[in-house]
Amino acid sequence: IQYYVNDVYAELLIDSYMLNESRSDNSVTANKEKNKLSELRFNYNIETPTSTNDNIWNDHYEYIRKCNRFLEKIDNAPVEESTRLLQKGQIHFLRAMFYFDLVKRYGGVVLLDKVLTMNDNWNIPRSSEEECYNFILQDLNKAIELLPASWDGKDKGRATKGAAWALKSRVELYTKQYDAVIKSCEEVYKLGYELVDGKTPESYRSIWWSTNKDNKEIIFDKQYKSPDVYNNIMIYHMVTYINNPYGDRGWGGMGPTQELVDEFELKDGGQAPTFSDKSNMGTFDINSTKIYENREPRFYAYIGFDGGKWFSIECCNDNETSSYPIKSKKGDIAGVSDELYSPTGYFTKKLVSYQNVNTSATNINYVYSFPIIRLSDLYLLYAEALNELNETPTTDVYYYVQQA
């Protein structure tokens, strides 16, 4: 039974969560021809919102079928009642996640709460969006009832009561139930989650480190067990080349845009210089403009930029003395190449462990737990709900936005 539940967890593919960022205005993906058959095509107008290539509809109904099969069979399984209820709670949570992914994209979908057989009527109409969200909320309420507040030992990483409340708050925000969002978020706050200290780039980025796994900011994440299963997505985000002596190579696959870079504030909270309004052929000198100086810690934690520091090839620390510079201007070693590069000259630093190495001689790909729900997410949901409930933003709205 436990192996079956584990198999359903395995369907939470973080590649989809992460690479969907490449469908937004926040990033541009690498080489068009190399990635033309992948999730990364959206930047090049090869796929459209109504003609995607990620097969989420078929895949998610396959996952939902697994959930339905479990819920149909579990009551007849020879297990202790306490075990049965814990497993059911996890499946209700996971089914809610799968349906939420579908409804966010497609609106009303076909609601299935049983495994269809060849004798059933398969011509089932799509339910309304409201009916779908109500179904999701029913699953989450059941999960809240059955799941524990936390897990110990090897069970850490499974869905918890806090994860169910947190996902419920997201659903309620989509359905504009703002009072309910407030209540759900406050239920999560009672469970002892804390923000990771983000006063320095290193402390902020430590949310993702294997050495800080199961930190108190994480409400729900996808965990991996190396070497059996590991998250290869880090190599996708690594700097393409650092310099010749090291030969370090990643894909540089998701390049943050100048628009995203401009959004990061100065460390005193002021507006940083903006350059995204320049024409496509416009250029600026990064030294005279001082574009990368005196930024908030999150900027240095998140963005890899020309002249900025990457992690040490020697590993395994994250400080200035053991890091080396990124060279990503056109013609430089990490700049535009004929294959793999960041077309914007920027790299997604926070999603890569400082322990990872990828050379012709050595490949070290460390275990990486991908956060799906963090406490900072809840603060933003809470702030948005408060803002919607008031005619003008309150001090609490600004407080929670700043905290996140």
Side-chain angles (χ1 to χ4, degrees):
I1 292 172
Q2 187 64 74
Y3 287 135
Y4 191 100
V5 175
N6 291 350
D7 184 62
V8 180
Y9 274 105
E11 306 295 5
L12 295 171
L13 300 177
I14 67 154
D15 297 38
S16 176
Y17 284 98
M18 192 177 295
L19 299 184
N20 276 344
E21 190 73 14
S22 295
R23 291 186 164 107
S24 74
D25 296 330
N26 291 334
S27 67
V28 179
T29 55
N31 188 279
K32 174 180 178 180
E33 292 306 312
K34 180 177 180 61
N35 296 309
K36 66 182 179 181
L37 297 179
S38 75
E39 291 95 331
L40 313 178
R41 305 186 310 169
F42 200 78
N43 283 139
Y44 302 105
N45 298 319
I46 302 174
E47 69 170 24
T48 69
T50 57
S51 177
T52 62
N53 70 317
D54 58 6
N55 209 32
I56 187 173
W57 181 280
N58 290 343
D59 288 347
H60 275 50
Y61 274 109
E62 183 179 320
Y63 311 154
I64 289 165
R65 188 176 191 274
K66 288 184 177 182
C67 294
N68 290 341
R69 179 188 293 274
F70 181 89
L71 293 172
E72 286 181 358
K73 303 290 186 181
I74 184 61
D75 286 338
N76 297 322
V79 296
E80 293 183 2
E81 183 65 10
S82 59
T83 300
R84 187 194 327 277
L85 295 178
L86 286 174
Q87 308 303 342
K88 288 176 74 171
Q90 294 172 77
I91 294 297
H92 279 290
F93 172 83
L94 292 167
R95 187 170 68 174
M97 286 201 76
F98 297 140
Y99 265 122
F100 188 38
D101 281 345
L102 285 174
V103 179
K104 284 189 297 183
R105 288 192 177 206
Y106 301 111
V109 298
V110 178
L111 285 178
L112 299 174
D113 60 359
K114 69 173 186 176
V115 176
L116 296 180
T117 70
M118 296 306 295
N119 296 322
D120 288 313
N121 175 20
W122 287 57
N123 188 22
I124 304 171
R126 291 166 69 156
S127 297
S128 69
E129 190 169 333
E130 181 181 3
E131 290 170 328
C132 291
Y133 278 127
N134 286 339
F135 184 87
I136 293 168
L137 289 170
Q138 288 172 16
D139 261 347
L140 290 172
N141 286 333
K142 194 67 177 177
I144 290 168
E145 175 189 337
L146 299 177
L147 289 172
S150 62
W151 296 87
D152 296 321
K154 65 180 182 179
D155 288 319
K156 284 186 176 181
R158 298 186 182 278
T160 61
K161 201 177 294 292
W165 275 116
L167 183 57
K168 188 169 185 275
S169 70
R170 285 187 180 180
V171 176
E172 289 161 343
L173 189 68
Y174 270 72
T175 56
K176 299 182 180 181
Q177 301 177 62
Y178 301 120
D179 285 315
V181 174
I182 300 296
K183 178 181 184 302
S184 295
C185 288
E186 289 176 347
E187 289 295 332
V188 177
Y189 300 160
K190 296 175 184 178
L191 297 173
Y193 296 100
E194 298 176 5
L195 292 177
V196 166
D197 176 13
K199 295 180 180 179
T200 67
E202 294 76 20
S203 60
Y204 176 73
R205 196 164 53 248
S206 72
I207 298 169
W208 291 268
W209 289 348
S210 57
T211 50
N212 200 25
K213 186 178 178 181
D214 300 316
N215 64 77
K216 289 189 175 182
E217 182 165 338
I218 303 300
I219 298 174
F220 184 65
D221 60 0
K222 175 69 179 287
Q223 299 199 351
Y224 293 83
K225 181 178 181 296
S226 183
D228 303 323
V229 182
Y230 63 92
N231 173 8
N232 198 43
I233 203 70
M234 284 195 185
I235 292 177
Y236 171 78
H237 288 295
M238 287 177 71
V239 171
T240 46
Y241 292 88
I242 300 300
N243 48 40
N244 287 320
Y246 295 125
D248 228 43
R249 184 176 187 178
W251 294 14
M254 191 164 75
T257 61
Q258 187 63 51
E259 286 83 357
L260 179 63
V261 169
D262 288 349
E263 290 297 318
F264 287 93
E265 298 175 343
L266 296 172
K267 63 183 180 182
D268 63 3
Q271 173 65 54
T274 60
F275 296 89
S276 56
D277 56 350
K278 285 186 171 292
S279 68
N280 289 337
M281 299 302 293
T283 60
F284 54 89
D285 183 270
I286 62 175
N287 296 313
S288 62
T289 59
K290 300 181 180 181
I291 182 175
Y292 306 135
E293 294 184 12
N294 299 314
R295 292 294 191 99
E296 58 172 305
R298 292 182 301 177
F299 173 78
Y300 301 105
Y302 185 81
I303 302 294
F305 55 89
D306 183 74
K309 299 293 184 179
W310 199 256
F311 311 113
S312 170
I313 192 68
E314 303 297 333
C315 83
C316 295
N317 52 60
D318 183 32
N319 57 56
E320 289 290 317
T321 59
S322 64
S323 300
Y324 48 91
I326 301 169
K327 300 177 181 179
S328 63
K329 291 192 293 292
K330 185 175 181 179
D332 282 345
I333 198 68
V336 174
S337 69
D338 59 355
E339 187 175 284
L340 299 173
Y341 60 91
S342 166
T344 68
Y346 295 114
F347 297 88
T348 309
K349 190 176 182 183
K350 76 173 183 180
L351 298 177
V352 181
S353 171
Y354 64 87
Q355 296 170 291
N356 274 36
V357 177
N358 186 35
T359 71
S360 58
T362 305
N363 181 288
I364 305 175
N365 197 35
Y366 278 81
V367 174
Y368 171 82
S369 297
F370 182 79
I372 296 175
I373 308 174
R374 295 160 45 199
L375 182 59
S376 54
D377 298 331
L378 268 290
Y379 281 2
L380 293 175
L381 293 174
Y382 193 79
E384 186 170 348
L386 283 175
N387 191 56
E388 292 293 337
L389 289 170
N390 294 278
E391 292 184 2
T392 58
T394 64
T395 55
D396 281 345
V397 171
Y398 291 111
Y399 171 80
Y400 282 101
V401 169
Q402 290 296 323
Q403 289 297 304

